[in-house]
Amino acid sequence: MNNSCKGTEGFTLVELLVTLSLLSIMAIYAFNAFGLTGKMKTVARGVESDAEVQTVLRHFHDDVSTLTAVYRQDPAGSAKLIFEGSETSLSYVAFADGTKEVGGLYQVNWQLNDKHQLTIERHLLGGKGQVNVALVVLDDVESVTFTYNGDKTLWRDQQTLPRTIVLKLALSNRESTVEVSALIVAGQ
């Protein structure tokens, strides 16, 4: 009797090796896809960060370039410009921005807090009983530098506004700095 089975079920060694090879190739592509997803998230975070920085720089430029000299009478009766600029902070008077603020003049303060956040504080000039809250506009800021008229790092007790104000930001997650220069065209 002949016991040869021509229709046995199962896999041959060659079929098993081909299947394992195909599965390993698919696994390699799957792992690469996961790695690519992580890289895409990193790139997306970087683009989002760049957009935030550009928005802050644009806001600074738009706000500062339209400054108008505003004076307050001091106790001696003479007019004093409401503007104080140091190397690490800037304080000035601006008109309401028209979006969330009603008409009037607002005291605006830009500064870096101890948590490495760039903040803007706006409050109604002469407003009574108003709570001042600093709005965080940018995180992970290593340093902030303001310069006035190209080379001065202090602008206090002056009778006129500086012609130019430059904001330079060094960000913690970058090797370079970004800066914007605002030419004051109104109110001189």
Side-chain angles (χ1 to χ4, degrees), residues 129-149:
Q130 188 174 5
V131 177
N132 298 330
V133 177
L135 175 67
V136 175
V137 293
L138 202 55
D139 285 316
D140 299 325
V141 179
E142 190 65 36
S143 67
V144 172
T145 306
F146 293 98
T147 54
Y148 311 93
N149 288 349

Side-chain angles (χ1 to χ4, degrees), residues 37-66:
T37 303
K39 288 178 186 176
M40 289 174 59
K41 285 181 182 179
T42 303
V43 168
R45 273 188 239 115
V47 168
E48 184 178 301
S49 175
D50 287 347
E52 288 175 1
V53 170
Q54 292 305 317
T55 300
V56 168
L57 295 178
R58 190 172 29 261
H59 175 74
F60 174 80
H61 179 269
D62 293 347
D63 205 27
V64 170
S65 63
T66 59

Side-chain angles (χ1 to χ4, degrees), residues 140-145 168-174 176-178:
D140 299 325
V141 179
E142 190 65 36
S143 67
V144 172
T145 306
K168 185 184 288 187
L169 298 172
L171 303 175
S172 301
N173 55 0
R174 295 195 183 169
S176 61
T177 60
V178 292

Side-chain angles (χ1 to χ4, degrees), residues 84 99 110-111 150:
E84 280 196 15
T99 57
W110 290 72
Q111 62 186 3

Side-chain angles (χ1 to χ4, degrees), residues 2-134:
N2 192 357
N3 283 343
S4 68
C5 291
K6 292 190 178 188
T8 57
E9 295 183 20
F11 298 105
T12 65
L13 184 58
V14 172
E15 290 173 329
L16 187 59
L17 288 174
V18 169
T19 304
L20 288 175
S21 298
L22 289 174
L23 284 175
S24 31
I25 290 171
M26 289 172 46
I28 289 170
Y29 281 120
F31 286 129
N32 285 341
F34 290 130
L36 185 60
T37 303
K39 288 178 186 176
M40 289 174 59
K41 285 181 182 179
T42 303
V43 168
R45 273 188 239 115
V47 168
E48 184 178 301
S49 175
D50 287 347
E52 288 175 1
V53 170
Q54 292 305 317
T55 300
V56 168
L57 295 178
R58 190 172 29 261
H59 175 74
F60 174 80
H61 179 269
D62 293 347
D63 205 27
V64 170
S65 63
T66 59
L67 280 181
T68 301
V70 176
Y71 297 88
R72 176 181 282 158
Q73 189 174 6
D74 67 7
S78 59
K80 182 179 182 325
L81 178 67
I82 307 175
F83 182 94
E84 280 196 15
S86 72
E87 188 173 10
T88 58
S89 66
L90 176 63
S91 177
Y92 56 87
V93 174
F95 292 104
D97 69 5
T99 57
K100 294 181 177 134
E101 301 168 336
V102 290
L105 295 175
Y106 283 77
Q107 181 77 37
V108 181
N109 301 311
W110 290 72
Q111 62 186 3
L112 185 65
N113 67 16
D114 56 351
K115 297 177 184 174
H116 293 281
Q117 298 168 320
L118 181 62
T119 63
I120 301 176
E121 184 179 307
R122 294 178 69 97
H123 60 89
L124 185 63
L125 193 63
K128 294 184 170 79
Q130 188 174 5
V131 177
N132 298 330
V133 177

